[in-house]
């Protein structure tokens, strides 16, 4: 591990120094104008006052092939890479032409794919959460270069910027660990102003980021005075050159000051005394650079002219931004998802002469066919590598066929596994990742909600996250409280992701192919009890294997059992709406009510085929929504309500929901597990009660 010492040796050109001074004066003028117009700048915002030197020094090193993730105090960095005050102010005032989010996100929350500038994935407000997605960018670039998928003029460098207190976040450590383990071309830029809102460094941490990083073997380190532009410029030039050449990760700990407020809503006078403010103002980067320029013989009148001109430019930009149009109300639902090309069922579902396969083989074959055809596809997660190929053998043989750079094991880092797909997708890859059990998805939920689900919407469609997250789910055979859980209600409550829950091999293969060609994030919920059809009554999960071109669109439910027309005309039938293991409980129960049961397999939960369900419920007049999940506050209960609301005039009885008992976990004892879960017998009792009423 390299600890880099910075000694300023190379003279920074006067052109660069004056450029930096101009940008600092712009940043100051902008902050002053925002403060003077608090009634207009009503949306919460931070400014870069005190951080300008290190941010500009970083920005000036970057090319249009590099990637940078600024955090919410990085407006000077944005100025430095080429965003004019007017365009930044459009976001400040949440205007329609805000180039980043179209008026949906806070100031200095950029996303950009502009050809002539460094690229920026969607940036959230959650402190430190950008570490994993941005490390995913570096991981993706390394993969692209290893497989020669794209040619770059220069080796791209990735920069991830943080405030100091965000380094205490656990997910930041996951990013440091992965970057060090895989030697990724990334700079972690820590801007240390010694405050975390009102929390001091003494209250928050035992060391600064430089000392903290010493524990991550392979992560190189550097300290710099981030208030001194000359020192910062020299340091960041060395840092960027090092990563561009050596392709190794580097952490830069830059000491800065906080001259402005934490945000416009959390003001400095709330929590800082005069002594602290005086100490920070004494290190104002603009003053330091001004004095350096004067000592170097620059005419003071020139600096005054630059300062005056910056104020005028900022004022004109602000007035123009104030008068810009607000977003139109009808655009509020735009960009929840990117348009998918998969809208119709294609290929052959039951090829002549093909054999039946189990669900687990459907997954393996689908991924294998994808990876042979698409070099941008790769698979990673816990234990998915060639030694065992997944704890359910759900990736077996793939590691041997595609090698350790395309199919590989990760550390136990669910947040990294899920969140890294943001960066991988941004650079044009298609990551297929796996969480070992549904019960262990919770550490990754933060990334799924904060970063993945919002990326397309808040970037105005620039960065939909194209991934597949495989999640073995469900209970059977005494798996116990941490290997048997159902999590679909939690996932279905996340807007901006898609969810599939296949019940048989053909659907699994077709939906997985659809997920691959869909540009949006997809969670594949895969019931462990259906993988091998070892659970009694699940033999029908085995199906003829569809051909390689078979694709099944999301949002298309399937009527897998129809009631007889005679019984329907007599009003003696009902519809069971279900998915996953529920399909097999429903089929077993239906044997007790010959001709009187219709079963709809939803196949996907988001999007949901409400049209089919509503049509069939209106015909039959009675409905049960069946789930394996604990019933109270579940997806099934919510859907039952929507069915009731939309089909009320056609119903003969209230829509019922059937599911597991409302317990905090699935007990390991088989007797207790059976008592908790639904089954065909319990479902039959509910059907009988509905018919008798």
């Amino acid at each position: 591990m390299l600890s880099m010492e910075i000694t300023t040796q190379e003279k920074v050109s006067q052109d660069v120094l004056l450029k930096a001074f101009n940008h600092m004066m712009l940043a100051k003028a902008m902050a002053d104008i925002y403060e003077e117009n608090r009634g207009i700048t009503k949306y919460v915002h931070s400014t870069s006052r005190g951080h300008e030197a290190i941010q500009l020094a970083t920005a000036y090193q970057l090319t249009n092939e590099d990637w940078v993730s600024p955090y919410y105090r990085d407006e000077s960095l944005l100025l430095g890479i080429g965003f004019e005050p007017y365009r930044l102010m459009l976001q400040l005032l949440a205007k329609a032409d805000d180039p980043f989010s179209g008026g949906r996100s806070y100031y200095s929350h950029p996303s950009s794919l502009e050809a002539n500038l460094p690229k920026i994935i969607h940036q959230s407000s959650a402190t430190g959460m950008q570490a994993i997605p941005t490390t995913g960018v570096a991981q993706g670039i390394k993969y692209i270069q290893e497989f020669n998928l794209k040619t770059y003029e220069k080796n791209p460098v990735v920069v991830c910027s943080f405030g100091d207190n965000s380094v205490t976040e656990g997910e930041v450590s996951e990013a440091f660990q992965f970057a060090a383990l895989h030697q990724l071309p990334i700079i972690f830029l820590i801007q240390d102003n010694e405050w975390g809102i009102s929390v001091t460094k003494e209250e928050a941490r035992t060391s600064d980021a430089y000392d903290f990083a010493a524990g991550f073997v392979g992560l190189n380190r550097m300290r710099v005075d981030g208030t001194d532009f000359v020192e910062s410029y020299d340091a960041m030039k060395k840092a960027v050159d090092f990563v561009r050449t050596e392709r190794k990760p580097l952490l830069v700990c830059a000491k800065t000051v906080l001259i402005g407020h934490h945000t416009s809503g959390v003001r400095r006078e709330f929590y800082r005394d005069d002594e602290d403010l005086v100490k920070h103002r004494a290190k104002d980067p603009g003053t330091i650079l001004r004095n350096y320029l004067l000592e170097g013989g620059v005419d003071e009148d020139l600096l005054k002219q630059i300062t005056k001109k910056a104020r005028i430019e900022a004022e004109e930009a602000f007035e123009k931004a104030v008068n810009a149009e607000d977003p139109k109300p009808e655009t509020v639902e735009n960009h929840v998802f990117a348009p998918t090309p998969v809208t119709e069922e294609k290929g052959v579902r039951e090829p002549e002469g093909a054999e039946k396969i189990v669900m687990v083989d459907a997954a393996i074959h689908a991924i294998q066919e994808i990876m042979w055809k698409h070099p941008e596809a790769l698979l990673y997660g816990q234990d998915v590598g060639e030694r065992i190929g997944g704890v359910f053998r759900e990736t077996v043989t793939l590691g041997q066929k595609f090698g350790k750079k395309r199919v590989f094991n990760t550390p136990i880092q669910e947040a990294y596994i899920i969140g890294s797909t943001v960066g991988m997708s941004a650079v044009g890859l298609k990551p297929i990742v796996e969480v070992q059990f549904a019960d262990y998805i919770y550490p990754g939920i933060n990334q799924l909600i904060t970063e993945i689900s919002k990326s397309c919407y808040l970037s105005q469609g620039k960065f939909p996250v194209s991934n597949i997250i495989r999640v073995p789910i469900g209970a059977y055979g005494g798996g116990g409280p941490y290997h048997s859980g159902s999590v679909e209600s939690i996932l279905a409550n996340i807007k901006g992701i898609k969810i599939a829950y296949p019940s048989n091999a053909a659907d699994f293969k077709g939906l997985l192919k659809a997920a691959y060609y869909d540009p949006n994030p997809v969670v594949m919920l895969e019931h462990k009890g259906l993988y091998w059809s070892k659970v009694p009554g699940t033999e029908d999960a085995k199906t003829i294997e569809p051909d390689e071109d078979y694709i099944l669109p999301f949002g298309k439910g399937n009527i897998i059992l129809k009631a007889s027309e005679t019984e329907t005309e007599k009003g003696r039938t009902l519809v069971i709406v279900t998915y996953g293991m529920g399909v097999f409980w429903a089929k077993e129960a239906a044997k007790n009510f010959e001709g009187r049961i219709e079963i709809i397999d939803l196949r996907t939960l988001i999007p949901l085929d409400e049209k089919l369900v509503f049509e069939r419920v209106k015909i039959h007049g009675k409905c049960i929504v069946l789930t394996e999940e604990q019933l109270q506050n579940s997806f099934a209960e919510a859907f039952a309500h929507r069915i009731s609301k939309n089909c009320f005039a056609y119903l003969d009885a209230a829509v019922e929901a059937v599911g597991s008992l409302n317990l905090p976990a699935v007990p390991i004892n088989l007797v207790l597990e059976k008592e908790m879960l639904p089954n065909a017998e319990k479902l039959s009792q509910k059907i009988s009660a509905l018919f008798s009423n």
Side-chain angles (χ1 to χ4, degrees), residues 132 171 174 412-416 418 435 437-448:
I132 287 175
E171 292 185 21
E174 289 197 20
I412 303 174
Q413 293 183 338
E414 288 84 2
Y416 189 89
I418 289 174
V435 173
F437 291 90
D439 307 79
Y440 300 138
I441 198 172
Y442 300 111
I445 289 288
N446 193 3
Q447 288 289 325
L448 196 57

Side-chain angles (χ1 to χ4, degrees), residues 29 145 230 302 465 511:
Q145 291 189 300
V230 176
L302 175 60
V465 180
L511 289 170

